[in-house]
């Protein structure tokens, strides 16, 4: 996958693979008919890591990195995650808005020179149910991200045994690598 190919995408599908000791994710393009198309990136996250770090590669051979994100600190309450390109250069960040997330999960994504992109769970009732009734944590959710009051992107967790997310990108100038990092993070970090 090239950055140009990724930047042209307006819809993505992120699918979690079920593995014992790691979380793995596939990021797919979406065809004009709405079907899952070719794989754009493959991500892997170690479970129970001391300091969160996820690297995305071109595929599951893990030979060529595309991007990654890493927590700045070990304590995860409202942690900030820096997003890097394949060469380790920073391209943006995201962080959990801890206070706002007590009842309804809220995130902030920052792209240099672009301002804050705020994201929040759409349905407050689902957010409360998932948060306070453990066996309902599997409920699907919908995040809307906006910049200056206009839609930037959305991430929708679908029903199913494996976690699958439909990502829609509305802002043509938004760096898709940040969107991919945030979509993977919503699964990898959301329950923390």
């Amino acid at each position: 996958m090239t950055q140009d190919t990724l930047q042209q995408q307006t819809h993505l599908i992120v699918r979690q693979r079920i593995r014992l000791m790691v979380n793995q994710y596939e990021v797919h393009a979406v065809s004009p008919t709405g079907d899952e198309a070719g794989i754009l990136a493959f991500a892997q996250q170690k479970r129970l890591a001391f300091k969160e770090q996820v690297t995305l590669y071109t595929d599951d051979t893990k030979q060529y990195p595309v991007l990654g994100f890493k927590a700045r600190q070990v304590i995860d309450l409202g942690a900030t995650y820096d997003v890097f390109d394949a060469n380790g250069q920073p391209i943006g960040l995201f962080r959990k808005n801890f206070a706002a997330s007590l009842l309804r999960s809220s995130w902030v994504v920052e792209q240099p020179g672009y301002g804050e992109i705020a994201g929040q769970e759409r349905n407050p009732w689902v957010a409360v149910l998932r948060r306070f009734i453990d066996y309902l944590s599997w409920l699907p959710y919908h995040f809307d991200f906006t910049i200056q009051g206009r839609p930037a992107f959305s991430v929708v967790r679908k029903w199913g045994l494996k976690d699958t997310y439909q990502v829609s990108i509305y802002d043509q100038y938004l760096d898709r690598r940040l969107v991919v990092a945030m979509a993977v993070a919503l699964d990898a970090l959301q329950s923390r």
Side-chain angles (χ1 to χ4, degrees):
M1 173 199 69
T2 67
Q3 183 178 341
D4 290 339
T5 302
L6 181 60
Q7 195 61 29
Q8 294 170 9
Q9 305 303 309
T10 57
H11 297 284
L12 302 166
I13 294 174
V14 178
R15 185 178 310 282
Q16 183 183 28
R17 290 183 180 179
I18 305 298
R19 298 293 184 263
L20 186 61
M21 295 304 294
V22 296
N23 287 329
Q24 293 182 337
Y25 305 91
E26 295 175 349
V27 179
H28 292 267
V30 177
S31 73
T33 61
D35 296 322
E36 194 173 289
I39 190 167
L40 295 171
F42 171 81
Q44 182 167 305
Q45 173 211 25
K46 291 181 183 176
R47 290 187 186 145
L48 304 172
F50 188 62
K51 189 173 183 181
E52 292 297 337
Q53 181 172 351
V54 176
T55 302
L56 287 91
Y57 302 91
T58 54
D59 57 33
D60 60 4
T61 63
K62 299 185 283 186
Q63 292 181 337
Y64 304 104
V66 176
L67 66 112
F69 60 87
K70 183 176 183 178
R72 287 184 182 172
Q73 62 270 8
V74 176
I75 303 297
D76 199 37
L77 301 175
T80 297
Y81 297 85
D82 292 302
V83 183
F84 300 93
D85 68 10
N87 299 315
Q89 297 300 309
I91 58 173
L93 61 88
F94 61 87
R95 67 180 179 280
K96 192 166 198 172
N97 184 337
F98 180 72
S101 293
L102 291 175
L103 291 177
R104 204 159 98 176
S105 290
S106 300
W107 293 84
V108 174
V109 179
E110 291 183 22
Q111 178 174 317
Y114 209 63
E116 286 190 354
I117 303 159
Q120 187 174 50
E121 285 182 87
R122 179 182 285 180
N123 189 323
W125 297 108
V126 170
V128 169
L129 286 172
R130 283 188 325 96
R131 205 164 261 74
F132 295 110
I133 304 173
D134 280 342
Y135 65 86
L136 293 178
S137 64
W138 55 267
L139 283 172
Y141 50 77
H142 185 134
F143 275 84
D144 293 309
F145 289 81
T146 60
I147 183 165
Q148 299 172 353
R150 66 180 192 279
F153 68 99
S154 65
V155 180
V156 180
R157 180 179 178 188
K158 304 308 269 180
W159 290 94
L161 293 175
K162 293 193 291 186
D163 292 340
T164 301
Y165 301 85
Q166 290 183 336
V167 180
S168 298
I169 306 161
Y170 311 110
D171 188 311
Q172 66 178 342
Y173 301 110
L174 187 58
D175 191 328
R176 292 346 187 222
R177 297 171 298 178
L178 292 173
V179 173
V180 168
M182 186 74 252
V184 169
L186 282 175
D187 185 87
L189 308 172
Q190 182 59 23
S191 63
R192 302 201 181 157

